[in-house]
Structures are given as structure tokens and as C-alpha cells.
Amino acid sequence: MPSKKFSSTATVAKMSKKILLQLDVDPHPSSFDAVVAVDAGVDHLLPYGNVESEAVESLVHGAMFTRGGDDLKNTALFIGGNDVVKAESIFRSVQKAFFGPVRVSVMLDASGCNTTAAAAVASASKHVSLNDCTAVVLGGTGPVGRRVAQMLARQNANVLLTSRSLNRAESACKEIGEQVSSGNLEAAAPENQDDFKALLERADVIVASGAAGVELASKELIHSLSELRVAIDLNAVPPAGLGGVEAFDKAKPLHEGQEDGPVAYGPIGVGGLKMRTHKAAIAKLFTSNSLVLDADEIYDLTIEQMNR
């Protein structure tokens, strides 16, 4: 009889539910992130909104100390929200709350910053070797642009990071350079159309990650670039960030009828890979209690998903 009871208890332990704490800096936790989590196989989603750094420790400890041993891997944390800077602060606070091996896995993807950037860079890698290529990141000081630049530099690309402010562009390059030792980062803030065109004429790859609904480069300018191999627009709100690039474009020839010429990707064109990566990353959180999924880890996972 006792042995039977022990067997039953062991079976229950093996069947522990996968619990994801969704820590969101917005008042209402993202419904998008919640749906993806459920589709990725999470059994119970615990959403928290308006999360502040000072409240993180108690939430993390509640996740850590309720389970032990191998069962720790069945609890994980996802950090999201539209304010990526605040989310990054939460991400750091979460990791400070861990006690050595007593920890749970955690993922940062506020406003889709990591999965979107990873899908864009991985898509570009299908058409051009990123090693030593020249890539221009338009709107490079925003959360997605910074991660695009970081991922490109990690692949040893020469990255031209643009902004309307040279100081902001230089600051972004410095911060990225502290995290990545490969590649080359160059800040740029073209003051006129001639300077802007000269900058884009150097590009093998252009990724537009600027503010929603703002055209950063015209169709005429994009089509005039002789070195361009890949044009990626991540702006889902009309007008397009890159003129002539449509939302659903996915490796579409930029010049009609020119199959061996440059290709274009729109936000939905990279969206399929982004979604596969997002789900795969959530599922991976529950394979270990010690994973930290940020830009570099999510990029590696994106490459795996793309090559399947």
C-alpha cells in the first residue's frame, strides 16, 4: 500500500503544469503575448500588469520557492510591454532576484523587440552573407533597431546605424559595442538628401525600423541603389517605411521581373518566422530552469527555426 501511494505521488510530480508568469509594464498585459504563450503549450498563464522594478523580487521569489529540484523548470517568466526601456529594467531586476542555481528561466521580448529583429536579420541572411556585408539600419536607436544592429554586428557585418540625432546614434553604437566585439558599428545622421543617398548606396542590406507610419526612404531612392541585395521594412502602419515595399512581401523581387536582383520583405513577410521563433522560445523556457533568452539567444533560436 505505501509503495502504491509513493508511485502515485511520483506520477503527480512528473505531471507538474507549465506555469508562465507574464510580467508586463503596461496596465493591461499584452493579449498578443498571452495567446502566443497558450499556443506554445503553457498550461497556466499568470499575467501581471503595471509591474515595477521594486515589485519584481516578491514575484520572482514566489515563482522560485514554490517548486524545487527538477520541477523548477516548469515555472518560467516572460517580460513584455510597450515600454522596452522599462521592460529591460524589469529583466535586470529579475536576474538579480535569483539565488545561484535556485532560479527559473526568463525571456525578454517587450513589444516583440527581440523576435522581430531576429526574424529580420535571419531573413536577410538567406540572401547575403552577413559576414563583412554592409547593412544600414534606419531608425536604429529604437528598441528593434538597436537589436537589429546588435545581431548584425554579432554576425560580423559592417553596420551603419542611423538616427535624426548623431548623438543618439553614437550612444546606441557605444552601448551595442559594449555587448558585441565583432563587426563594425558606425553612427550616422545624414543632414540632407544627398548625404542620405550616399549612405544608402553603400548598403547590401537595409532594415527600416523607424517610427510607425513614417516613410524613411522613397521607392525611387530604394530602386536606384545598385549594391542593394535585401530591403526589409518592419513598419506595419501605412505608409511603408521603405517606399514600394508591401506588408506581405516575402523575398519578393524588388524590381519586377528581375529574379536575380534585390529582394524585399515587409513586416508580415518576416512575421511568420517571428511567430515560430516566439512560440519556440516560450517552449524552450520549460526545458531548463536557468535559461536567459535575450537578443543573442533568440537570434540563434530563429536560425534554428528558419533551417527546419
Side-chain angles (χ1 to χ4, degrees):
M1 199 67 159
S3 62
K4 185 176 181 180
K5 183 177 180 181
F6 177 81
S7 175
S8 176
T9 303
T11 301
V12 171
K14 289 179 182 178
M15 294 175 61
S16 292
K17 301 295 186 181
K18 295 176 182 177
I19 299 174
L20 183 69
L21 278 69
Q22 180 185 1
L23 309 184
D24 201 303
V25 298
D26 296 336
H28 301 287
S30 166
S31 58
F32 179 96
D33 291 335
V35 171
V36 175
V38 172
D39 285 349
V42 170
D43 296 308
H44 294 290
L45 182 69
L46 306 180
Y48 296 87
N50 272 333
V51 176
E52 301 285 348
S53 291
E54 54 268 23
V56 165
E57 185 174 83
S58 62
L59 290 170
V60 174
H61 288 178
M64 288 162 45
F65 297 139
T66 47
R67 291 173 162 178
D70 191 55
D71 205 23
L72 268 174
K73 71 181 183 182
N74 290 317
T75 304
L77 305 170
F78 176 91
I79 300 167
N82 286 310
D83 190 326
V84 179
V85 173
K86 282 187 178 180
E88 289 172 333
S89 177
I90 299 296
F91 189 57
R92 292 189 293 270
S93 296
V94 163
Q95 294 173 79
K96 288 178 182 177
F98 293 146
F99 289 94
V102 184
R103 55 193 295 135
V104 296
S105 291
V106 56
M107 172 182 173
L108 172 67
D109 198 34
S111 202
C113 58
N114 282 324
T115 52
T116 299
V121 176
S123 294
S125 74
K126 294 167 66 175
H127 307 279
V128 62
S129 171
L130 299 181
N131 181 45
D132 206 34
C133 81
T134 298
V136 175
V137 183
L138 301 178
T141 58
V144 174
R146 283 175 182 245
R147 282 162 174 79
V148 167
Q150 177 178 329
M151 293 172 188
L152 286 165
R154 183 171 173 246
Q155 302 308 309
N156 203 39
N158 300 304
V159 183
L160 306 175
L161 187 152
T162 77
S163 172
R164 288 174 294 179
S165 164
L166 184 58
N167 286 338
R168 286 201 300 270
E170 290 175 339
S171 177
C173 287
K174 180 180 178 181
E175 291 172 10
I176 295 167
E178 291 171 352
Q179 302 176 61
V180 183
S181 58
S182 54
N184 181 62
L185 292 157
E186 180 180 336
E191 296 183 354
N192 54 59
Q193 193 63 21
D194 288 341
D195 289 346
F196 185 51
K197 182 178 181 181
L199 181 76
L200 294 188
E201 284 177 339
R202 298 167 59 186
D204 299 298
V205 177
I206 297 175
V207 181
S209 56
V214 177
E215 183 179 87
L216 299 176
S218 68
K219 178 179 179 179
E220 292 72 25
L221 176 53
I222 294 298
H223 280 238
S224 72
L225 304 174
S226 60
E227 300 298 320
L228 185 64
R229 305 304 303 160
V230 187
I232 300 176
D233 181 23
L234 299 178
N235 176 22
V237 179
L242 298 179
V245 177
E246 303 293 335
F248 285 89
D249 287 352
K250 182 178 180 180
K252 180 182 176 181
L254 192 63
H255 306 301
E256 190 173 349
Q258 191 175 333
E259 299 297 326
D260 60 346
V263 297
Y265 284 83
I268 299 176
V270 300
L273 180 56
K274 176 255 188 299
M275 290 299 296
R276 295 203 308 275
T277 299
H278 193 152
K279 292 176 184 177
I282 294 292
K284 188 170 184 177
L285 288 173
F286 298 98
T287 63
S288 166
N289 72 308
S290 59
L291 296 178
V292 178
L293 302 186
D294 198 356
D296 291 342
E297 297 79 11
I298 290 175
Y299 178 77
D300 290 341
L301 185 57
T302 304
I303 293 297
E304 290 177 18
Q305 291 299 307
M306 186 177 70
N307 291 333
R308 283 190 171 185

